[in-house]
Amino acid sequence: MAFINENFLNLKENYLFIDIAKRLAAYREKNPEKQLIRMGIGDVTLPLAPIVVEAMKKGAEEMAHKETFKGYEDSGRGYLFLREAVAGYYKSFGVEIDPEEILISDGAKSDCGNIPDIFGEQNTVLITDPAYPVYVDSNVMGGRKVIYASSNEENGFAAMPDPNIKCDIIYLCSPNNPTGSVYTKAQLEEWVAYAKSQKAIIIFDSAYEAFIRDKSLPRSIFAVEGARECAIEICSLSKTAGFTGTRCGYTVIPKELTAYTADGCEVNVFKIWCRRQGSKFNGVSYPVQCAAAAVFSEEGLTQTRESIDYYMENARIMAETCDELGIKYTGGKNSPYIWLKCPRGMGSWEFFDYLLNEIQVVGTPGEGFGENGKGWFRLTAFGTKENTAEAMERLKKLIINN
Ligand code: PLP
């Protein structure tokens, strides 16, 4: 008899985007003539930068010839040329990382979801609420106790640690999905001090670091002194460079980071993660790693920045509309997300249906990201400028006329 991992039965039954897809399918069936503007799922819409495509083609061409063909990559951690390029990128915003501490992945979701594998079941995991669902789900699957740090209207949806609460693993995401809030350096210093006082490890998701424009805001947890002793950083090229369909990311584990056995012995986290990856992961394809390295070249950074500027203009349009309508929100400034308070006390699914039925605009109900998302709603800046402007015009008419 095969026994199931019963932890999976503790997961919330439906994943947020499946619920949304069902509602959209039902709406489309009834209203086939209506054009929807989708500002829900956080997928990008602009193509890869030309220099990135060129590098990918060149990588593919190398695979076509015996002399340059590549099989498995020896270390499984990613080619050194890419790890060096990532280290150079960190250096450009003042953070020193050794290429040996960088591990290339097929994206941040896999590493966010897999990293709990190396941590014991007895860990208490602190997750900000609301949060990107992978953090909670992967720890529920692993049978760990999950507790929450409240991100709410009062703290600008940037939860801070409570020294009276004990935990072992902490997930932070800045700029945040879904709330668009960004931690200041002083706030991250507080988190680092808290983590160290607990001998806890912070798993810092920096998937949206490229959207930070304000130079005073940290783009990496490692901009904070002491973070190397208590943090892992997981990043992605999905939003930085349009890699959602190309798949590449990177994880930084400082060599000095340790966790503990039940009897208090220190264990090197980097080594254990490499051991785990050695058994379960065979690396990212060579042409994709060539493409990823091109992102970090001077020309690559200039070209990908153009796409980010385009999305940030959408964010500006959305923020301006909320300002005009007196709708409260966070995000939109150093983040591609606008997290808004549903007008007139509506619930987030109620507001979802209202926008869908009245103006055919699709967003994401905040409560799909946690309890504190109730009454809040996420819009993304990843659409076209025309659609974003059109959606905001429709929203203005709807709110003003009703
Ligand atoms: N982390 C956050 C906060 C995200 O919002 C996303 C994607 O939406 C990811 C990670 C996943 O990124 P990837 O496409 O690299 O798996």
Side-chain angles (χ1 to χ4, degrees):
M1 181 160 50
F3 295 101
I4 204 77
N5 174 351
E6 290 189 31
N7 293 322
F8 278 71
L9 307 179
N10 297 327
L11 290 168
K12 265 176 61 188
E13 203 175 317
N14 267 325
Y15 192 62
L16 171 65
F17 294 107
I18 297 174
D19 282 350
I20 293 176
K22 275 189 193 156
R23 287 188 195 218
L24 291 188
Y27 181 84
R28 279 213 186 92
E29 203 177 307
K30 276 198 202 141
N31 307 278
E33 75 295 348
K34 294 264 165 75
Q35 288 290 324
L36 299 180
I37 300 184
R38 303 200 58 167
M39 303 174 81
I41 296 179
D43 199 355
V44 292
T45 48
L46 293 175
L48 296 173
I51 193 168
V52 171
V53 175
E54 273 317 304
M56 191 159 21
K57 282 185 187 165
K58 192 164 165 285
E61 187 59 33
E62 285 177 47
M63 297 297 265
H65 305 280
K66 208 165 83 194
E67 300 72 29
T68 48
F69 169 79
K70 308 272 187 301
Y72 292 124
E73 189 257 313
D74 288 344
S75 74
R77 298 182 205 160
Y79 286 97
L80 185 59
F81 68 79
L82 176 53
R83 289 187 281 118
E84 282 176 345
V86 175
Y89 180 60
Y90 270 101
K91 203 173 179 145
S92 73
F93 47 83
V95 174
E96 289 289 338
I97 304 284
D98 185 333
E100 289 304 314
E101 300 174 315
I102 295 167
L103 300 119
I104 304 305
S105 70
D106 63 352
K109 193 178 202 171
S110 321
D111 277 11
C112 286
N114 291 330
I115 204 105
D117 267 16
I118 63 167
F119 295 110
E121 230 180 276
Q122 67 272 49
N123 285 293
T124 296
V125 182
L126 180 69
I127 300 178
T128 57
D129 170 14
Y132 180 52
V134 178
Y135 315 148
V136 174
D137 285 355
S138 53
N139 281 291
V140 169
M141 290 171 192
R144 278 172 219 94
K145 182 179 171 193
V146 175
I147 58 172
Y148 296 95
S150 175
S151 295
N152 52 46
E153 196 173 344
E154 287 69 45
N155 61 27
F157 282 96
M160 293 306 293
D162 176 345
N164 299 314
I165 290 182
K166 291 221 125 335
C167 71
D168 310 295
I169 308 281
I170 301 161
Y171 280 83
L172 298 179
C173 175
S174 178
N176 191 270
N177 177 15
T179 73
S181 64
V182 187
Y183 281 121
T184 62
K185 193 162 178 202
Q187 287 175 320
L188 286 186
E189 280 166 355
E190 221 178 292
W191 274 108
V192 165
Y194 168 73
K196 287 175 90 169
S197 74
Q198 308 263 329
K199 293 191 174 172
I201 289 182
I202 297 174
I203 296 170
F204 189 79
D205 184 341
S206 63
Y208 297 94
E209 58 76 25
F211 292 81
I212 294 180
R213 288 293 152 81
D214 179 341
K215 288 203 164 32
S216 73
L217 295 170
R219 291 173 66 168
S220 162
I221 185 93
F222 299 118
V224 172
E225 214 181 304
R228 291 183 57 87
E229 291 125 65
C230 67
I232 292 171
E233 182 156 290
I234 298 178
C235 197
S236 164
L237 290 183
S238 283
K239 311 299 158 76
T240 303
F243 270 53
T244 50
T246 306
R247 309 306 307 145
C248 196
Y250 47 93
T251 291
V252 178
I253 306 183
K255 284 281 173 65
E256 58 264 52
L257 186 69
T258 56
Y260 298 86
T261 61
D263 52 9
C265 293
E266 284 190 85
V267 176
N268 184 279
V269 173
F270 181 88
K271 273 195 190 149
I272 296 284
W273 176 246
C274 288
R275 181 66 189 83
R276 186 263 177 212
Q277 292 295 78
S279 291
K280 294 196 176 184
F281 182 62
N282 259 341
V284 176
S285 83
Y286 175 70
V288 167
Q289 293 196 53
C290 294
V295 168
F296 300 110
S297 65
E298 212 180 309
E299 189 58 27
L301 289 171
T302 305
Q303 290 181 6
T304 51
R305 201 190 152 91
E306 281 168 24
S307 300
I308 294 176
D309 285 346
Y310 179 94
Y311 296 135
M312 289 312 286
E313 171 61 10
N314 289 345
R316 191 197 60 75
I317 293 170
M318 295 192 295
E320 191 178 79
T321 305
C322 290
D323 286 334
E324 271 178 60
L325 295 173
I327 295 175
K328 283 196 177 158
Y329 66 94
T330 52
K333 304 224 158 56
N334 293 287
S335 149
Y337 294 116
I338 292 265
W339 176 252
L340 61 90
K341 188 171 189 175
C342 302
R344 300 181 195 127
M346 275 190 235
S348 36
W349 279 108
E350 191 186 353
F351 190 58
F352 174 91
D353 288 332
Y354 185 57
L355 291 192
L356 176 62
N357 291 315
E358 300 296 328
I359 58 172
Q360 291 74 52
V361 169
V362 183
T364 312
E367 69 184 84
F369 298 98
E371 276 296 300
N372 283 355
K374 282 190 172 151
W376 291 75
F377 200 74
R378 191 192 74 174
L379 292 176
T380 89
F382 292 122
T384 63
K385 186 173 175 193
E386 295 69 32
N387 277 350
T388 306
E390 170 65 20
M392 291 302 104
E393 281 312 309
R394 291 185 197 174
L395 182 66
K396 276 189 218 168
K397 279 195 199 127
L398 179 72
I399 300 290
I400 291 166
N401 295 335
N402 287 280

